[in-house]
Amino acid sequence: MDPAVIGTRLASSAIAPLIKKLFVREGPGAGLVERPVRVSRLVSFRGEKRTLYGADVRRIAERLVSRSLASPGERPFPPDETAAVTDALARTLLALGDLGMDDVQAVRLGPRKLARTLLHNASATGHPVTAELSADASFYLDSVTEWACLHILQFFTQRSTFVAATLVAQSRDQDELIGKVDELIARSPLPGARDAAFEERYLAYVAKKHGKLTIFGIDLTDTPGKWPLDVAYMSLEATALSSTDAEAALRPGDDWVATLKELTAARPADQALTTHDRVLLRGEAGSGKTTLVQWLAVSTTRQELAEGPMAYLDDRVPYVLPLRTLTRHGERLPAPADFLAAVGCPLAGTQPEGWEGRVLTAGRALVLIDGIDEIPDAERAATRAWLTDLIDAFPGNRWLVTSRPSAVRTDWLADEGFAELTLSAMGEREVAAFIERWHAAAATGAPDEDAALAAYESQLLAAVRAKPDLGLLATNPLMCGLICALHRDRRGFLPLGRKDLYTAALSMLLVRRDRERHMAVPELREEPQLQLLQRLAYWLIRNGRTVLDRSRAEAIIADALPSVPELSALGDAHAVYTHFLHRSGLLREPGPDTVEFVHRTFQDFLGARAAVDEGDFGFLARHAADDQWEDVIRMAVAQARPRERTELLRDVMAYGDTHPDPRARKRMHLLAAACLEHAAELAPAVREEVERRTAGLIPPRDAEDARALAQVGPMVLDLLPGPDGLSDEEARLVAITATHVRSDAAIPFLARFARHPSIMVGSQLMWGWHRYDCRAYAEEVIAHLDTTALHFTLRDDEQIAELERLGLFPKRLDMRVGVSPEVASRFLAACEPTFLLLAYSPAHLTPEALAALRGLDGLNLFSVSDTAEPWSLTLFPAEAPLMFLGLAGSRSSVRDLELLPRWPLLARITFQEDGPDSAADWETLARLPRLTRLHCGSHSLPHAPEGLSLPGLTELQLSPDGHWEAAMARIGTLMPGLRHLYVENRTGVGAAEARQRLDVSALPDHIDVRVYGPSKF
């Protein structure tokens, strides 16, 4: 294979960043030296400036080889020689460190001679690099090495300060040669070359189209309407959708189970696809789902992705597919060949034939499907089938689907292997960071204006912290941006309440902005404009859409214009539509001849206004069980007059009372209760009627009901009872509801439960700490919890700082990955705990912290990383009176289970994953004289040696898997003293039905079999 042909497979834009990694960055200088400088001082894997190691160089070689083989066409060598070729190329590149600059000059800087020199030096040890390669592979190695050398020499000619003066002429030659090869790539008929050229243009288009972000309200005073995504984007966190209820109560009454809560830690939303190839991401309106899609798409276009948290996007081709655009005319969802055309990409007609199929077949696609909630419910099943067909046809790609939380049921895509995550609401820190970034982006450079802006920023930060109502509104980027804009626009004064906030925003956008910017437009009052806009919004809501055709929008405006003569100053329907599109800031065109509101929130608010004007209260009530109508009904209550409000709420309750689905009935009653916070004036009888129905849901019956009740908002705190007169379970469920109310108003309520004797109530209060102001919650709630019996779940250094400030040093600790090892070590040394759950390797702790564990009677180790560094049980004191040991996800890091007998008091051991998985492991367990309780998977039992017996084992907790029958056959002889078998319920049905499905006929009759979990927390 000629080097030029390699070039058609491996363009300069792909190879240059990899070659640059081989060399350190040099400081400034004239390059005047008296003697030749050795290349070994310049390469990044030798000398004092080492930034790469041999393994890193091999990874660069792997990428060079894989990229040159990625495109279709005949392979230059057999597939089974790929590893050998990669090793040979890595050895050859490492030979750079053995060259002197005089060697480079001796070959006159020619790529072919330099390549031969490197190959010769790499073989100087007596083992030729081509010794194990076929003739084809050897020829390929020569070619790819020569192509790499071409770029290596280019690096010297352009980057090296030592030889710049002598290589000017050669630099021109190399530039010319590389330019000709790149030109060859552009003209080459090979599919790989055409694909590479098109992808380069397509990625540039994606970077430009999605690389700007509109920050709401930032264009009030002669500032750009859009800002670079790199400046404006703020990563939010995503958590597993079931993070609050994923833990199973392994056995009722086992308080150590509480330490397993929240094992799925929050992670940056833009890294959700690092551990999952398929993700369904849920988020409320304005939470940043679409912005995240933009960020991921733009991230794929960057050259330097080989390292860092976004490395998983390297060499990916993004497809941004907003469902509202794909289904705007009711047409069928597109096949891959039509992806670009369906979203209006101007490059659609120029893509090479079959390109999209090659990308998807190679597993290189990043498919971003935005807005399941923005299509009618009737179309969602067809969308799911379309997505399933795509995944089945093209496995190995990465898929992200976004939706509002309640638009589709839980596990809607579970059968297709999708992990479900949800965008977390912005906490106090995220809100503060957003406010600071918004004001930084709004800075104009004018000293007086920027000084005033800085003052507004400080005022707003203080207001959000001091005013609960305002802080409650600032839960997502949209609302935060709106609050920032209004605060600046109103010179530091803000309305309270969502209705007043939206009303002020509409006034700002429709009237004040153009007036204050001195725009040459007719003077229009706000009300006539609202009349037309709300008709557009109501049409969209009634038809279950978020996008409508431009012709339809103009027709709606034309029908309404005779009733709103004041707008005739703008002209006909087309002129009015154009005015709203360009001047209001409320409408935008997502594609040719289509229009939508800039955000669904404004559509719902204006649609609700229209529904109230029309008196469509019965119509609204009939849709109260539909998640897409929830905000519409809330805003209708907020905007209605008292008599209308009464009619609407009574209709909602009446339809709820007669609805055949209990789940929908509950939702409608809770919605009526949620509307009370928007009802400034309401007949007392109606309010009492709503509260009476809500009282039927309080206290909640289970954890799911408890969390649903929290969606009502802070007003539910006035309805919740307790803690007096409640059972322990009722108190726990009430605490679950209160800890899910995202307002610091919940803190005084939760403080009433702080001295409750139930450890499960205390555990729920401990779990809720991260949702509220850290210091206030610590002082009012945490300070009154039992520090001896309760497991203290600690998520970050700030929480530990508060405990230290209050003089609290709990004895039972749960250290999550958010706590730095330094702070954890200091706190452990001070607490000397008796129980510890640790979510990262104990090797990170200091010797003082490990020594402080001499009093442990319980230890639970949970490694959150599959690549955690190995560690030994010898780190823990042998004198510790350890009675319980849990290994959850840790067996990949620790293998010295033979040391368990150093703790002779061990009575209970839990293996959450892979263990005990060998005969040696079982023999170790048999040496524990007091072992009575064991938790493992059923696959572990067949590993026990024949004839081995654990007679003292009386309780077994078993996680069923594919080895159930083999496990049942072994229990009788392996555990002759067994009395109780607890089986984890993974069937998705009730415990009683799951028990009936179990085949336990091989068990002795005296063993009591029970099914447990998963319970909700």
Side-chain angles (χ1 to χ4, degrees):
M1 180 181 290
D2 187 84
V5 179
I6 288 283
T8 65
R9 294 174 176 263
L10 193 61
S12 299
S13 60
I15 187 173
L18 299 176
I19 294 300
K20 289 178 181 178
K21 291 179 178 293
L22 295 172
F23 299 92
V24 297
R25 293 189 176 184
E26 299 177 15
L32 302 176
V33 295
E34 297 180 355
R35 56 181 179 178
V37 177
R38 294 198 58 80
V39 177
S40 60
R41 290 182 56 187
L42 303 180
V43 295
S44 56
F45 47 85
R46 290 286 184 89
E48 297 178 357
K49 296 182 179 181
R50 179 179 301 190
T51 58
L52 292 181
Y53 294 84
D56 301 305
V57 176
R58 192 186 189 283
R59 279 195 291 271
I60 291 174
E62 286 176 350
R63 292 166 63 79
L64 289 172
V65 172
S66 64
R67 288 197 171 189
S68 68
L69 300 178
S71 59
E74 182 181 356
R75 288 181 61 93
F77 58 83
D80 59 0
E81 289 192 87
T82 301
V85 170
T86 300
D87 289 337
L89 180 56
R91 287 177 56 195
T92 303
L93 293 176
L94 284 168
L96 278 168
D98 298 322
L99 290 180
M101 190 60 72
D102 49 350
D103 295 321
V104 177
Q105 293 166 340
V107 297
R108 302 178 61 84
L109 299 182
R112 181 165 300 177
K113 290 184 178 180
L114 179 57
R116 290 176 182 173
T117 302
L118 290 179
L119 288 167
H120 176 269
N121 288 359
S123 303
T125 59
H127 181 67
V129 291
T130 59
E132 300 177 359
L133 302 181
S134 65
D136 288 342
S138 298
F139 186 57
Y140 169 84
L141 178 63
D142 290 342
S143 300
V144 77
T145 302
E146 184 174 336
W147 183 238
C149 285
L150 180 64
H151 283 268
I152 289 171
L153 293 178
Q154 177 72 356
F155 171 84
F156 282 125
T157 62
Q158 292 184 340
R159 299 290 303 275
S160 176
T161 60
F162 298 103
V163 297
T166 62
L167 299 181
V168 173
Q170 293 293 341
S171 177
R172 294 172 183 160
D173 294 341
Q174 302 299 338
D175 278 335
E176 181 181 355
L177 180 55
I178 289 176
K180 288 180 178 179
V181 174
D182 285 341
E183 184 179 353
L184 174 63
I185 294 173
R187 297 201 310 257
S188 172
L190 290 177
R194 291 197 300 270
D195 287 357
F198 176 76
E199 283 179 20
E200 188 173 352
R201 288 188 292 128
Y202 174 64
L203 291 178
Y205 166 78
V206 169
K208 188 169 184 178
K209 177 177 176 60
H210 298 291
K212 296 281 187 179
L213 177 66
T214 299
I215 304 180
F216 187 83
I218 206 169
D219 56 342
L220 291 176
T221 52
D222 300 319
T223 55
K226 293 188 176 182
W227 295 80
L229 194 62
D230 283 340
V231 174
Y233 175 75
M234 185 180 73
S235 177
L236 298 177
E237 286 190 334
T239 58
L241 187 63
S242 57
S243 61
T244 61
D245 61 354
E247 301 90 27
L250 300 182
R251 269 192 64 208
D254 280 348
D255 60 20
W256 62 274
V257 176
T259 63
L260 296 177
K261 291 190 277 293
E262 292 286 327
L263 290 183
T264 304
R267 81 287 309 268
D270 53 17
Q271 296 175 34
L273 287 168
T274 56
T275 53
H276 304 288
D277 289 340
R278 305 169 189 175
V279 170
L280 172 60
L281 183 69
R282 301 176 188 258
E284 298 289 353
S287 60
K289 302 185 296 295
T290 299
T291 303
L292 174 64
V293 166
Q294 285 184 244
W295 177 256
L296 293 174
V298 171
S299 294
T300 63
T301 68
R302 294 169 177 155
Q303 292 290 335
E304 300 294 336
L305 280 177
E307 299 174 2
M310 307 298 287
Y312 72 97
L313 294 179
D314 186 33
D315 199 34
R316 293 281 170 179
V317 177
Y319 297 98
V320 180
L321 304 176
L323 286 173
R324 62 181 177 274
T325 300
L326 301 182
T327 61
R328 60 180 177 264
H329 300 301
E331 59 267 69
R332 292 170 60 88
L333 289 162
D338 301 319
F339 278 175
L340 301 192
V343 297
C345 176
L347 299 177
T350 65
Q351 64 194 75
E353 183 178 357
W355 164 75
E356 68 290 329
R358 291 188 289 274
V359 170
L360 287 160
T361 301
R364 298 175 55 227
L366 174 68
V367 187
L368 304 167
I369 301 172
D370 189 27
I372 286 289
D373 56 289
E374 295 185 353
I375 59 174
D377 185 66
E379 297 179 12
R380 293 175 189 171
T383 301
R384 184 178 182 276
W386 167 74
L387 178 59
T388 300
D389 288 343
L390 286 174
I391 292 172
D392 291 343
F394 302 106
N397 296 283
R398 294 186 187 267
W399 309 77
L400 177 72
V401 179
T402 72
S403 172
R404 281 193 186 188
S406 56
V408 293
R409 69 178 189 275
T410 301
D411 299 332
W412 189 63
L413 290 173
D415 290 343
E416 282 69 48
F418 274 74
E420 292 199 4
L421 302 176
T422 183
L423 278 175
S424 303
M426 294 172 69
E428 183 178 341
R429 293 178 182 175
E430 289 84 2
V431 170
F434 185 96
I435 291 173
E436 292 169 359
R437 188 164 295 190
W438 190 97
H439 286 83
T444 62
D448 292 343
E449 292 184 18
D450 288 352
L453 197 63
Y456 293 150
E457 177 184 340
S458 299
Q459 293 173 10
L460 185 56
L461 286 170
V464 169
R465 284 192 288 264
K467 298 179 180 180
D469 290 341
L470 184 59
L472 186 63
L473 289 174
T475 58
N476 61 56
L478 172 75
M479 295 304 299
C480 282
L482 181 59
I483 288 169
C484 290
L486 285 173
H487 186 260
R488 187 179 79 166
D489 187 46
R490 293 181 165 224
R491 303 295 189 267
F493 295 95
L494 275 174
L496 297 177
R498 193 192 301 184
K499 179 215 170 190
D500 294 338
L501 194 60
Y502 290 156
T503 300
L506 290 170
S507 177
M508 178 186 73
L509 293 171
L510 294 177
V511 179
R512 296 183 58 200
R513 183 175 68 164
D514 280 347
R515 182 186 302 162
E516 294 184 4
R517 294 177 69 185
H518 309 292
M519 299 298 296
V521 295
E523 189 79 13
L524 299 172
R525 292 188 303 117
E526 181 179 337
E527 182 60 29
Q529 298 182 74
L530 290 176
Q531 287 294 325
L532 284 188
L533 287 168
Q534 70 186 37
R535 296 194 187 200
L536 295 177
Y538 201 34
W539 186 94
L540 288 167
I541 291 170
R542 292 177 65 96
N543 289 276
R545 300 284 179 182
T546 58
V547 177
L548 74 160
D549 293 340
R550 177 172 182 157
S551 59
R552 170 74 67 178
E554 292 184 357
I556 294 171
I557 292 173
D559 290 341
L561 272 179
S563 303
V564 194
E566 188 171 332
L567 294 183
S568 61
L570 297 174
D572 58 11
H574 174 75
V576 173
Y577 168 84
T578 302
H579 171 82
F580 283 142
L581 181 67
H582 295 155
R583 299 264 54 86
S584 74
L586 286 169
L587 299 179
R588 66 182 178 192
E589 290 187 339
D593 298 323
T594 59
V595 63
E596 66 182 1
F597 282 86
V598 292
H599 201 276
R600 176 70 178 269
T601 303
F602 290 112
Q603 175 184 308
D604 290 348
F605 181 80
L606 289 167
R609 193 177 191 272
V612 170
D613 285 353
E614 296 289 335
D616 286 345
F617 304 121
F619 181 76
L620 290 176
R622 287 194 295 274
H623 289 84
D626 187 338
D627 66 282
Q628 295 211 51
W629 288 75
E630 179 178 330
D631 281 345
V632 179
I633 294 172
R634 289 192 185 199
M635 291 298 98
V637 170
Q639 298 178 85
R641 291 178 287 273
R643 186 173 298 175
E644 297 167 334
R645 201 174 283 145
T646 294
E647 181 181 351
L648 174 55
L649 286 175
R650 281 182 169 161
D651 284 348
V652 170
M653 288 186 289
Y655 278 104
D657 292 341
T658 59
H659 202 288
D661 183 359
R663 202 175 176 85
R665 186 161 58 247
K666 183 189 305 180
R667 178 181 179 84
M668 297 172 83
H669 289 160
L670 289 173
L671 177 58
C675 289
L676 292 182
E677 69 171 307
H678 304 294
E681 180 182 348
L682 184 65
V686 177
R687 187 179 296 274
E688 291 172 4
E689 194 175 345
V690 172
E691 292 177 349
R692 184 168 58 253
R693 282 170 173 76
T694 306
L697 303 173
I698 297 174
R701 289 185 291 269
D702 55 36
E704 183 178 356
D705 286 349
R707 286 189 295 276
L709 195 59
Q711 300 303 311
V712 174
M715 61 84 57
V716 76
L717 298 171
D718 296 329
L719 305 176
L720 291 173
D724 297 336
L726 298 179
S727 67
D728 288 354
E729 177 62 11
E730 288 173 337
R732 183 182 76 91
L733 294 173
V734 169
I736 289 176
T737 297
T739 52
H740 282 77
V741 174
R742 291 186 176 273
S743 168
D744 284 346
I747 296 178
F749 177 84
L750 292 168
R752 292 155 47 187
F753 288 75
R755 300 186 188 277
H756 196 282
S758 170
I759 194 169
M760 295 307 293
V761 172
S763 295
Q764 184 65 39
L765 298 181
M766 186 69 233
W767 174 88
W769 189 2
H770 70 287
R771 288 176 171 257
Y772 304 103
D773 179 80
C774 187
R775 173 157 294 189
Y777 197 91
E779 292 176 345
E780 298 188 41
V781 181
I782 301 299
H784 304 289
L785 297 178
D786 185 350
T787 60
T788 58
L790 184 67
H791 293 83
F792 272 59
T793 301
L794 303 173
R795 292 178 169 84
D796 54 48
D797 293 352
E798 185 181 5
Q799 290 183 337
I800 290 182
E802 287 302 318
L803 292 179
E804 292 174 329
R805 185 180 64 84
L806 294 171
L808 301 178
F809 299 97
K811 291 297 183 182
R812 306 181 75 78
L813 297 176
D814 176 355
M815 293 286 192
R816 300 302 172 92
V817 292
V819 179
S820 66
E822 298 78 14
V823 173
S825 294
R826 184 186 72 221
F827 198 59
L828 287 172
C831 291
E832 297 186 348
T834 58
F835 183 95
L836 174 64
L837 184 147
L838 190 63
Y840 46 79
S841 171
H844 293 306
L845 300 178
T846 64
E848 293 76 14
L850 292 168
L853 305 180
R854 64 178 66 87
L856 282 183
D857 59 29
L859 176 62
N860 203 343
L861 298 166
F862 181 78
S863 174
V864 296
S865 172
D866 291 335
T867 59
E869 63 273 24
W871 51 271
S872 171
L873 287 172
T874 57
L875 292 174
F876 297 99
E879 65 270 24
L882 206 59
M883 292 184 286
F884 162 68
L885 176 65
L887 295 172
S890 302
R891 292 288 280 114
S892 60
S893 301
V894 58
R895 290 292 178 183
D896 50 2
L897 287 188
E898 67 274 6
L899 298 179
L900 289 182
R902 70 198 308 227
W903 295 290
L905 298 181
L906 273 174
R908 180 173 60 186
I909 297 180
T910 294
F911 295 94
Q912 288 291 336
E913 293 180 3
D914 51 345
D917 56 6
S918 68
D921 287 350
W922 281 101
E923 289 168 353
T924 296
L925 296 180
R927 293 164 52 202
L928 297 173
R930 299 197 180 187
L931 184 64
T932 60
R933 299 168 67 181
L934 179 67
H935 179 195
C936 63
S938 60
H939 67 277
S940 295
L941 272 65
H943 289 293
E946 293 292 340
L948 185 72
S949 175
L950 282 73
L953 203 65
T954 60
E955 296 185 15
L956 175 66
Q957 294 173 235
L958 209 58
S959 300
D961 49 43
H963 300 77
W964 178 258
E965 293 182 2
M968 293 299 98
R970 293 300 311 276
I971 286 179
T973 56
L974 180 62
M975 307 169 188
L978 193 67
R979 293 293 178 266
H980 302 284
L981 173 63
Y982 299 93
V983 183
E984 183 180 359
N985 182 10
R986 295 183 174 181
T987 62
V989 300
E993 184 178 347
R995 172 65 179 85
Q996 293 176 353
R997 294 182 182 182
L998 288 176
D999 180 7
V1000 294
S1001 57
L1003 291 180
D1005 294 338
H1006 67 270
I1007 298 178
D1008 176 36
V1009 181
R1010 299 183 184 182
V1011 175
Y1012 70 90
S1015 68
K1016 303 294 185 182
F1017 185 85

